[in-house]
Amino acid sequence: MTLGLVLEEIGRALPGHGFASVRAGVEMALIDAIANSIRLPLWRLFGGASNSITTDITIPIVSPNEAAKLASEYRERGFSTLKLKVGKDLNSDIEVMKAIRSVHPDCEFILDANEGYSANEAVEVLEKLAEMGVTPKLFEQPVHRDNWDGLRQVSDVAKEKYGVSVAADESCRSVDDAHRIVKGKVAHVINIKLAKSGVLGALEIINVARNAGIRLMIGGMVETRLAMGFAGHLAAGLGCFDLWSCLQVHQFQRSWRFSSLVKHLTDQSHLSESVLESLHERWLCRSIK
Ligand SMILES: [Mg+2]
């Protein structure tokens, strides 16, 4: 039986979004085992486009002081792009951005609202940022995942008025969602997460996006270093991602050498030995939610 057939069987046994994270874990384990059996690093198995990838780093929803402290630390580490979780309260989001700017004036922002704004609020944020002279690199999932009209509306205004691209994250969990985004011109970028759609599901979405000229970024949930390592290998090997987003520094310090912003993947994937640990952690995360 080929790997493809085994993965199809797994897809039937663990279908849909509800099983996506555990399906992704099983898929990762199998693909990594195959790569190791033929002594091929994962990034080469996925196409070998590159053995390195650049990441931004996330600042969670915290007070302005805490955000400034993190931004200062990340500036020292060499991060020039900060992904900022916003969407809880418009005014405090702006205060946090001002605090970050005061310690890291040259940083670029990616805003990730995690569905938190209404369409009007999202446009207001862009307006206030423009008044501050800030143009975010990207605005991720400004509105609720089912608010397709709102997402398209924000995308149109963001691009036409402020030159900002909008990314679909929670709105794109399956290949059907990807088709809907393409057809309705709902977003400019799709955020791929392996735990959101599984590995094969992610590859299907990537295919749809590439054919339609939609840009791609890759991120992760609250995931293990192993899972993020796999995503890093996939992204570097495919070479079609503009952005890689990591939540925390520790997520990319195990599977490859740490070198400032650009992560050079090692020739060994180093994933197999602890994949069961990863699966266990994933399952725990699912159960707690
Ligand atoms: Mg997101």
Side-chain angles (χ1 to χ4, degrees):
M1 191 178 251
T2 64
L3 174 64
L5 288 173
V6 174
L7 292 175
E8 276 179 30
E9 279 295 320
I10 290 164
R12 277 191 283 274
L14 299 166
H17 179 69
F19 289 102
S21 61
V22 71
R23 185 172 69 249
V26 176
E27 290 172 319
M28 287 177 191
L30 277 168
I31 294 168
D32 184 52
I34 295 290
N36 273 315
S37 73
I38 55 176
R39 299 187 180 283
L40 201 63
L42 278 171
W43 64 270
R44 282 198 191 279
L45 189 77
F46 282 116
S50 174
N51 68 342
S52 70
I53 184 165
T54 304
T55 180
D56 58 55
I57 195 78
T58 295
I59 294 187
I61 292 181
V62 289
S63 69
N65 279 348
E66 286 170 288
K69 202 173 152 198
L70 280 172
S72 187
E73 180 194 327
Y74 291 147
R75 184 190 182 195
E76 276 179 30
R77 282 178 179 265
F79 288 98
S80 57
T81 302
L82 303 179
K83 178 163 160 176
L84 190 58
K85 293 288 184 182
V86 294
K88 207 168 182 184
D89 176 81
L90 197 150
N91 290 326
S92 56
D93 291 341
I94 297 291
E95 289 308 308
V96 164
M97 279 182 252
K98 283 181 180 168
I100 291 173
R101 272 292 194 187
S102 70
V103 296
H104 197 339
D106 299 324
C107 74
E108 288 196 276
F109 284 119
I110 292 173
L111 304 184
D112 185 1
N114 284 104
E115 316 177 77
Y117 292 132
S118 67
N120 287 342
E121 285 173 333
V123 171
E124 203 180 329
V125 167
L126 291 174
E127 201 174 297
K128 288 197 174 177
L129 285 179
E131 285 166 12
M132 288 165 57
V134 175
T135 305
K137 203 168 172 177
L138 189 73
F139 197 179
E140 197 180 316
Q141 196 66 46
V143 299
H144 189 271
R145 69 175 300 274
D146 294 327
N147 186 0
W148 294 90
D149 288 340
L151 187 56
R152 187 177 53 238
Q153 187 191 329
V154 177
S155 291
D156 288 348
V157 176
K159 185 57 100 178
E160 283 164 23
K161 199 167 173 189
Y162 303 102
V164 175
S165 296
V166 170
D169 181 359
E170 285 83 354
S171 287
C172 189
R173 305 196 298 200
S174 67
V175 72
D176 290 341
D177 291 336
H179 281 299
R180 187 167 181 178
I181 288 162
V182 169
K183 202 174 166 194
K185 296 191 168 96
V186 169
H188 314 105
V189 178
I190 288 177
N191 189 355
I192 298 292
K193 288 174 180 166
L194 303 182
K196 185 173 67 171
S197 48
V199 179
L200 287 195
L203 292 173
E204 285 177 344
I205 295 170
I206 290 166
N207 198 34
V208 169
R210 289 177 88 172
N211 287 337
I214 300 258
R215 288 162 55 208
L216 288 161
M217 64 182 291
I218 190 160
M221 315 275 198
V222 180
E223 297 185 28
T224 62
R225 286 168 292 190
L226 286 166
M228 289 306 286
F230 191 100
H233 277 266
L234 180 142
L238 287 175
C240 59
F241 290 88
D242 291 347
L243 293 162
W244 186 36
S245 285
C246 277
L247 280 176
Q248 294 165 318
V249 170
H250 77 83
Q251 283 189 319
F252 48 78
Q253 281 185 315
R254 184 168 173 178
S255 295
W256 47 80
R257 298 192 302 274
F258 182 78
S259 173
S260 187
L261 303 181
V262 180
K263 311 297 164 252
H264 296 275
L265 307 173
T266 59
D267 279 342
Q268 300 293 322
S269 62
H270 292 313
L271 295 174
S272 296
E273 62 193 37
S274 301
V275 157
L276 284 177
E277 172 201 334
S278 171
L279 283 172
H280 182 59
E281 287 181 38
R282 280 165 174 279
W283 187 250
L284 283 180
C285 285
R286 260 181 62 81
S287 305
I288 290 166
K289 275 181 183 174

